[in-house]
Amino acid sequence: MPQSGSQLRVLILEDVPDDVELIGRELRKTGLEVSTRHVETKEQFLRELREHPPDLILADHALPAFDGFAALDFARSLGPEIPFIFVTGSMGEEVAAETFKKGATDYVLKTRLSKLVPAVTRALHLREERVRRRQVEETLRHSERRFRALIENSMDAIALLDPRGTILYASPSTTRILGYASDQLAGRNAFARVHPEDLESTTDLFLGCLKTPRSNVTAQCRYRHKNGSWVWLEAIGTNLLDEPGVRAFVANYRDITERKQTEEQLLTLARLQAAIAEFGKIALAGIDPLLLMEDAVDTVVSALRVEHGALFEVQPGGAVLRLSAGAGWNLSLIGHVTLNCGSRSHAGYTLLANEPVVIQDLRAEQRFEWPSWVQAQNLATGVGVPIKGREGPFGVLAAYSTQRRTFAKDEIYFLEAIAHRLGAALERRRAQEEIGLLNARLEQRVIERTAELKAAYEEMEAFSYSISHDLRAPLRHIGGFLEMLKEASAGALNEASTGYITNISEATEHMNKLIDDLLELSHTSRAELHKTRVSLSQLVASAQRTLQKDIQGRNVEWVIGALPDVEGDPNLLRQVLVNLISNALKYSRGRPNPRIEMDCRDSAEEMVFSIRDNGVGFDPRYSAKLFGVFQRLHRSSEFEGTGIGLANVRRIIERHGGRAWAESTLGEGATFFFSLPKSRPNASA
């Protein structure tokens, strides 16, 4: 029927105008808005069909120039869905039957035009039904094509099973996943090719799902591929046995072999890493080397899931390998059987190669000779890695299986990691033993050196005593007898003799001064340090007071910078300042305006102090001699002294952990430096 608000377009094929008028009047009785177009000839009829397709065709059966059946044929060809009703004056039963056979919708006699409206209404309903049915059929065909395309091009495969597990249908993806054509599986039991280890659990899930209509279940199992290999499948099964359009158990499955292999690799890697970490803890514990070797072998056998593990240890001389630890072997072999280190044994070849050596088939391997105790184990596959050390390999760690297998890269890396940690632990043990031996030797050497130092100290004490007493006594006698000689010969000695006595007396005093300075140097070297916090400014002031005799009567300019507190022995540091300031006063004696400067320079690790004068200075080429005992750069007739003061300065500063040095230009004064390390803060600060 035309939609509400639209016209019913009617094409009338009729050669009698009055009949056209009567037909139009009847059509208006339908209550529809009708638009009619009237044609009489074939050409007019065909043009209207092509240019203005109608909703309904009303045609006379017999026309002078155009046959009604011919018009029906054209209508069925150009507009098969357009209802075609014959409106004719007379029609026998045979002709009427022929009209329906040709495809006419109905016929109405002109003598009974009252039947036209019901016929039109019926024809329009039939047309709508045909259109609706065609749309449904087209939708079904489209849905079927789409479903078939989905099934045939899906990465997953679909199988329909009956309650006994017989395959009723297998989608084309079956060939890609399992290698079988669909018809090769149809009629066969779906569980016949399931891996024996997975068969019971898979069938239990299937049977359990059959008990509950429309329930579903998920399963994973290994399935035999057409090429004989095992493929991991993941399937979702749904019980649609009570679904009228299905009547089957639907299994949707896919190939997850790669995913399973990845999962297995990750699990294996995690297991191997955990084993490495655990063995690393054991290796760091410092247990007995033999026990550590046994732990290494047990770790390898457990983690790699092999039947045999071995540790071949290099024996002294490097020509023989001993089975020092093993798993899977007869216990009587451990610690007793040996292999040659040459290339004819697997372990010896591994040592020479200094890298992992894998044997895929021991039974067919021709490179190596296998002793009877190895052949008796019926081994199939093996791998060995060297246990390396800094001074040469410790041995070989090996894993063997009685089944043919391929050792993955991660498994070889694992074996190398265990060997590396074992080698590091053995290296540490070797180093500890060497350190222990060195410590024992060092301890003995310390004892011997202490005894030597004690003897030297005692000799120094004896020497100091000898200087203090044995050398002073003759000098004291010389001085005493000189005084007696002067008194006894008063007025009797000529000028030359008096000069001789004076020279002897001065030499005696100088010798006494040398002895005093040597004793002071010895005391400085041996005296115990009593460090405390010292104000260097106060020590400078104390030194100036001590040297007041040398300062008195001289116009000395003092330039003293800011001096910090330091850590040190106050008595010894005061002695340093007295010596250096005395030195500056002495060598600037000839200057009309002597100037002495003292300052401090702070650095990251130490404080550097300087004492500068404007005296005569010294030749810088000989600065290294200044701090030596008895070393002088000026004649004694010019400047008095024994040459021991600066040696004493250096000795005191070095005992405080510092340095002492000097810089000068001849005739332009000199600068003496000494440094003291900065005090470290307390740990609790």
Side-chain angles (χ1 to χ4, degrees):
M1 295 289 289
Q3 295 181 354
S4 177
S6 64
Q7 288 183 333
L8 176 65
R9 301 186 308 275
V10 181
L11 178 62
I12 301 175
L13 178 62
E14 176 62 62
D15 62 340
V16 179
D18 291 340
D19 287 341
V20 173
E21 180 65 26
L22 292 173
I23 290 170
R25 187 184 66 179
E26 289 297 325
L27 289 175
R28 287 190 287 274
K29 293 179 181 180
T30 62
L32 301 172
E33 187 177 350
V34 180
S35 170
T36 61
R37 298 180 76 89
H38 172 221
V39 297
E40 297 181 9
T41 66
K42 171 184 176 182
E43 290 75 15
Q44 293 173 335
F45 181 75
L46 291 176
R47 185 173 62 251
E48 287 295 327
L49 280 178
R50 292 188 179 100
E51 297 179 2
H52 307 286
D55 297 319
L56 176 67
I57 298 174
L58 301 178
D60 194 358
H61 175 257
L63 299 173
F66 190 31
D67 179 66
F69 281 112
L72 177 60
D73 289 339
F74 284 124
R76 295 282 71 79
S77 173
L78 297 177
E81 300 301 328
I82 303 174
F84 193 102
I85 300 176
F86 280 109
V87 182
T88 184
S90 64
M91 184 176 289
E93 291 183 0
E94 292 183 2
V95 177
E98 184 67 17
T99 61
F100 288 115
K101 185 177 180 181
K102 291 284 188 178
T105 306
D106 206 344
Y107 74 92
V108 176
L109 297 176
K110 291 180 179 180
T111 58
R112 296 180 179 179
L113 283 180
S114 60
K115 295 184 179 295
L116 179 60
V117 171
V120 169
T121 302
R122 189 167 51 251
L124 292 175
H125 279 296
L126 287 173
R127 179 196 177 199
E128 286 185 0
E129 187 62 29
R130 283 198 300 272
V131 171
R132 188 181 301 110
R133 186 167 56 248
R134 190 178 69 249
Q135 290 174 342
V136 171
E137 290 173 352
E138 181 60 30
T139 300
L140 289 174
R141 283 194 296 272
H142 178 71
S143 177
E144 182 179 354
R145 287 195 299 271
R146 184 167 57 183
F147 178 74
R148 184 173 297 279
L150 180 65
I151 295 299
E152 293 180 354
N153 296 283
S154 172
M155 294 297 291
D156 294 351
I158 296 176
L160 303 181
L161 313 180
D162 68 11
R164 294 184 299 275
T166 302
I167 300 174
L168 304 175
Y169 167 80
S171 68
S173 296
T174 301
T175 304
R176 178 181 55 78
I177 295 175
L178 297 176
Y180 298 98
S182 298
D183 57 1
Q184 291 178 310
L185 292 179
R188 298 179 180 273
N189 190 280
F191 300 98
R193 293 176 175 83
V194 174
H195 194 284
E197 295 179 3
D198 303 331
L199 182 59
E200 183 178 355
S201 61
T202 306
T203 53
D204 286 347
L205 289 172
F206 172 71
L207 294 175
C209 191
L210 292 181
K211 296 176 182 178
T212 307
R214 299 181 182 275
S215 63
N216 54 58
V217 66
T218 301
Q220 292 183 358
C221 67
R222 286 161 289 181
Y223 207 87
R224 177 73 76 178
H225 192 278
K226 187 177 181 180
N227 62 16
S229 65
W230 292 104
V231 178
W232 271 101
L233 301 180
E234 181 178 64
I236 299 176
T238 305
N239 181 358
L240 297 179
L241 289 167
D242 66 335
E243 179 68 36
V246 182
R247 300 292 184 186
F249 180 91
V250 180
N252 187 313
Y253 60 93
R254 65 181 58 181
D255 183 354
I256 61 167
T257 304
E258 185 175 343
R259 189 180 85 193
K260 277 289 187 179
Q261 290 173 344
T262 301
E263 291 175 355
E264 182 62 29
Q265 289 173 356
L266 291 175
L267 289 173
T268 299
L269 184 59
R271 186 180 72 252
L272 297 180
Q273 288 176 338
I276 291 171
E278 186 61 29
F279 181 74
K281 295 178 184 177
I282 297 173
L284 289 173
I287 65 175
D288 180 78
L290 185 57
L291 293 176
L292 186 60
M293 292 179 187
E294 293 173 353
D295 281 331
V297 172
D298 291 341
T299 299
V300 167
V301 170
S302 175
L304 295 184
R305 296 176 179 175
V306 295
E307 296 85 2
H308 292 74
L311 191 148
F312 299 100
E313 185 181 7
V314 176
Q315 297 303 291
V320 175
L321 288 160
R322 183 183 67 186
L323 181 63
S324 295
W329 310 89
N330 189 312
L331 292 178
S332 63
L333 300 174
I334 310 297
H336 297 94
V337 293
T338 59
L339 294 173
N340 194 296
C341 279
S343 61
R344 293 301 295 165
S345 72
H346 176 222
Y349 187 87
T350 303
L351 280 184
L352 294 174
N354 199 33
E355 63 182 8
V357 176
V358 180
I359 303 175
Q360 298 293 351
D361 187 356
L362 271 77
R363 303 180 183 102
E365 180 61 56
Q366 300 296 319
R367 289 178 296 173
F368 310 127
E369 296 174 353
W370 302 100
S372 59
W373 55 272
V374 174
Q375 296 179 18
Q377 306 302 315
N378 196 30
L379 303 177
T381 306
V383 56
V385 298
I387 306 169
K388 300 177 182 179
R390 284 182 298 184
E391 298 180 3
F394 289 101
V396 173
L397 184 62
Y400 298 101
S401 175
T402 57
Q403 305 295 323
R404 287 288 300 275
R405 61 173 288 179
T406 299
F407 286 100
K409 288 184 178 179
D410 288 339
E411 293 177 317
I412 296 175
Y413 292 156
F414 160 78
L415 195 60
E416 287 185 299
I418 296 297
H420 173 73
R421 283 157 178 76
L422 176 60
L426 295 175
E427 193 71 59
R428 281 196 304 274
R429 184 60 177 250
R430 175 190 287 172
Q432 289 170 355
E433 291 175 352
E434 291 178 354
I435 290 172
L437 182 60
L438 289 174
N439 284 339
R441 292 175 179 173
L442 180 59
E443 186 176 351
Q444 180 61 34
R445 181 59 181 156
V446 167
I447 293 172
E448 294 172 356
R449 185 59 178 163
T450 301
E452 292 174 0
L453 290 174
K454 184 178 180 182
Y457 181 81
E458 292 174 351
E459 290 177 1
M460 180 63 73
E461 287 287 339
F463 177 69
S464 297
Y465 181 84
S466 176
I467 291 176
S468 179
H469 295 81
D470 297 344
L471 292 183
R472 282 186 187 275
L475 291 175
R476 190 170 57 252
H477 295 160
I478 293 172
F481 283 112
L482 280 175
E483 288 298 323
M484 291 172 61
L485 180 61
K486 287 168 63 177
E487 292 175 1
S489 304
L493 295 176
N494 58 26
E495 184 178 351
S497 297
T498 302
Y500 297 152
I501 292 175
T502 300
N503 288 340
I504 294 172
S505 178
E506 290 176 354
T508 303
E509 290 178 3
H510 183 69
M511 187 63 181
N512 266 317
K513 178 61 176 170
L514 281 175
I515 292 172
D516 289 340
D517 288 348
L518 282 174
L519 289 174
E520 184 179 353
L521 180 63
S522 174
H523 174 74
T524 299
S525 301
R526 294 180 290 112
E528 184 178 354
L529 289 179
H530 297 284
K531 286 188 176 183
T532 185
R533 196 71 179 167
V534 181
S535 169
L536 211 63
S537 296
Q538 293 180 2
L539 291 182
V540 170
S542 176
Q544 288 174 320
R545 288 193 298 272
T546 301
L547 297 170
Q548 191 61 38
K549 180 180 178 181
D550 296 332
I551 298 172
Q552 192 171 10
R554 298 175 61 187
N555 186 24
V556 179
E557 181 183 359
W558 298 92
V559 182
I560 309 297
L563 301 177
D565 293 350
V566 296
E567 291 284 340
D569 187 306
N571 293 326
L572 294 179
L573 290 180
R574 179 181 174 280
Q575 187 175 343
V576 167
L577 294 172
V578 168
N579 281 331
L580 292 178
I581 294 174
S582 173
N583 209 56
L585 289 169
K586 178 169 61 176
Y587 289 104
S588 62
R589 187 182 299 151
R591 300 301 190 209
N593 297 305
R595 176 186 176 90
I596 298 177
E597 304 173 16
M598 186 168 183
D599 202 358
C600 175
R601 185 177 72 250
D602 195 356
S603 67
E605 296 293 330
E606 61 183 4
M607 292 175 291
V608 178
F609 301 91
S610 61
I611 298 178
R612 176 179 175 80
D613 63 66
N614 60 346
V616 297
F618 58 84
D619 191 333
R621 292 178 298 171
Y622 305 113
S623 60
K625 300 174 60 177
L626 277 176
F627 295 92
V629 179
F630 302 133
Q631 297 294 330
R632 292 174 53 82
L633 302 184
H634 300 279
R635 293 192 298 273
S636 58
S637 60
E638 295 178 306
F639 299 100
E640 72 280 2
T642 61
I644 293 179
L646 291 179
N648 216 9
V649 167
R650 171 169 283 180
R651 188 72 56 85
I652 293 172
I653 294 302
E654 287 179 348
R655 291 195 64 193
H656 280 78
R659 301 174 295 135
W661 69 100
E663 297 175 358
S664 177
T665 300
L666 192 62
E668 297 182 10
T671 304
F672 285 81
F673 300 90
F674 67 91
S675 69
L676 293 173
K678 286 186 174 180
S679 58
R680 298 290 185 265
N682 294 331
S684 60

